[in-house]
Amino acid sequence: MSLKLGVARLLVVVSAALVLGEILARLVLTSPSVQTFDPALGYANLPHSRTFQSREGFQHLILNGLGLNDREIGLKPAGGERVLFIGDSTTFSAQVARPDNFTSRLEAMTPGLDAVNAGRDALGPQQWAAMLDRLEKPVSPDAVVFVMSRGDAFDLQEARTTIAHDPAGRPLSVRYAEGHEEGLQKALGPLLRRSALVTYLARRGQSVLTDTQTGDSWIGRLSRHGGGSAVRRNSAADDLDADRVALQLADIMRLVSQNRRAAFVYVPSFIYGPDGQMTYEHRSLLERPVIARAARLAGVPLIDLSPDFAAAYRQTGRPLTGFNTSKLGEGHLNTYGHTVVAQALHRRLVPLLGSPAAGAQN
């Protein structure tokens, strides 16, 4: 009898702790996952879902009927144009209020422009074609802009991408091997979509696992010293197969720009120093020439925002990344960073897209 009572009490305590943990997670940490498994994209965001995160900033967002961080897709502005922006978490911009992200700010400073934010966390070039397939018909854009940020070239390399070609060598389709994150999303999706606590723990667990694999945590460093092998994805030991990635990326750029007005943007990452000095983060340093080479091979316009970032930091001394809930100078674009991106795109991208015959020059 006493054993049964003890077990019952334990169950009550555990249940109460789980309920309290769930409440606290929803209040101060994050929302349940808004992601659902998608066979072509790995996952997609659920329509009309609500997101909340406090890791960088403290932001609540409501996604539209297409699962995008934007208002509902309506009629195009009279006499204006609609531009679809496809990219990863830098474009999705979960860290800032929607009016403060760069697509919204670009739209506000460019009369007649409808800039549709189709960013999604962890979206890589290997998934651009699938995202276009999902969105081109419902959005009906006049032009498409593909936004790359630090790590996209490495993601393409790690995705084990296969590109099919026609007899003339033109790219026809892109396939990539399902990754660890997609497998977890497929298996745990129903639970993650119901529990903020499980979502938070799963994300923290994935972060610890990645840090352990790369050697960027104390566990990873101990593992390496003990003879373990670390991938070191975020360190000076990063190894980018520049030739293979450039050729694959060029094929993808050709494929997604066929019969479309398209442009490509690279958002670099920097390490910020004193007196307006800044240096590229290691991955940005390695992949910038690869991305530039791919754009030249594909004959598509590429806008590298490096000079715009450098000029802004020299003038103001304000890092473009980081938040008061994380670390200034690291992580995703903050509100100031989004402003700089929007201003740069207004100067450099809008004139480029002004003509259907936009050339391949910067």
Side-chain angles (χ1 to χ4, degrees):
M1 186 69 178
S2 60
L3 178 61
K4 290 183 178 180
L5 183 60
V7 171
R9 286 175 175 172
L10 178 62
L11 288 176
V12 169
V13 171
V14 170
S15 298
L18 289 175
V19 170
L20 180 61
E22 181 69 22
I23 293 172
L24 290 175
R26 291 181 183 237
L27 287 175
V28 299
L29 294 176
T30 189
S31 58
S33 172
V34 301
Q35 301 165 359
T36 183
F37 176 72
D38 183 291
L41 289 169
Y43 71 86
N45 290 326
L46 290 166
H48 304 299
S49 52
R50 295 172 178 266
T51 74
F52 161 61
Q53 63 84 37
S54 62
R55 190 171 182 180
E56 294 179 87
F58 197 85
Q59 201 56 240
H60 293 262
L61 297 169
I62 302 176
L63 308 186
N64 69 12
L66 294 174
L68 307 180
N69 182 17
D70 210 328
R71 63 177 182 274
E72 296 298 336
I73 305 299
L75 297 174
K76 295 180 186 177
E81 289 197 321
R82 175 172 291 158
V83 179
L84 178 64
F85 286 80
I86 293 178
D88 61 9
S89 57
T90 297
T91 304
F92 182 64
S93 310
Q95 299 77 26
V96 300
R98 181 177 294 159
D100 292 331
N101 69 40
F102 71 81
T103 53
S104 296
R105 293 204 169 212
L106 177 63
E107 190 176 82
M109 63 180 64
T110 312
L113 176 67
D114 181 10
V116 177
N117 183 338
R120 195 218 71 183
D121 288 353
L123 190 81
Q126 67 275 8
Q127 297 158 321
W128 287 347
M131 184 64 90
L132 264 181
D133 288 343
R134 294 285 188 276
L135 297 176
E136 196 158 31
K137 186 174 181 179
V139 175
S140 187
D142 299 294
V144 185
V145 176
F146 299 90
V147 183
M148 301 185 71
S149 61
R150 185 189 78 96
D152 274 3
F154 288 88
D155 291 344
L156 177 58
Q157 173 174 267
E158 294 163 9
R160 303 191 302 281
T161 306
T162 303
I163 302 174
H165 298 82
D166 66 12
R170 292 183 293 262
L172 290 174
S173 63
V174 179
R175 294 183 60 189
Y176 72 99
E178 183 180 278
H180 178 64
E181 292 81 2
E182 287 79 8
L184 279 178
Q185 182 60 47
K186 187 176 182 180
L188 301 178
L191 181 59
L192 294 170
R193 288 193 294 273
R194 286 170 173 79
S195 171
L197 179 60
V198 173
T199 295
Y200 175 76
L201 292 175
R203 289 173 180 167
R204 292 301 302 156
Q206 180 63 36
S207 178
V208 170
L209 176 62
T210 299
D211 288 347
T212 301
Q213 290 175 332
T214 60
D216 291 334
S217 69
W218 67 270
I219 298 176
R221 288 190 289 273
L222 284 176
S223 171
R224 288 208 324 284
H225 294 323
S229 61
V231 179
R232 297 289 291 166
R233 290 195 185 98
N234 298 316
S235 74
D238 270 326
D239 185 15
L240 183 64
D241 187 343
D243 291 338
R244 180 171 68 86
V245 172
L247 292 174
Q248 283 193 331
L249 183 55
D251 270 344
I252 293 172
M253 287 174 163
R254 290 189 191 99
L255 178 64
V256 298
S257 61
Q258 285 176 5
N259 305 313
R260 298 180 182 91
R261 291 164 57 199
F264 299 81
V265 174
Y266 182 59
V267 181
S269 290
F270 288 99
I271 298 171
Y272 296 91
D275 302 323
Q277 299 299 311
M278 54 202 297
T279 57
Y280 287 103
E281 285 191 352
H282 186 68
R283 283 192 151 193
S284 277
L285 181 66
L286 291 180
E287 68 188 0
R288 279 186 69 240
V290 174
I291 293 170
R293 179 184 171 194
R296 289 193 299 270
L297 290 171
V300 296
L302 171 68
I303 296 176
D304 182 349
L305 297 180
S306 298
D308 307 275
F309 278 34
Y313 186 58
R314 280 197 307 269
Q315 291 169 6
T316 67
R318 296 172 61 186
L320 286 75
T321 53
F323 296 82
N324 56 7
T325 58
S326 55
K327 185 175 180 180
L328 200 58
E330 295 184 4
H332 288 87
L333 292 171
N334 53 33
T335 301
Y336 177 59
H338 279 280
T339 300
V340 172
V341 172
Q343 291 171 341
L345 295 181
H346 182 71
R347 290 192 307 269
R348 303 175 63 189
L349 176 66
V350 172
L352 182 66
L353 295 177
S355 165
Q361 301 297 319
N362 240 3

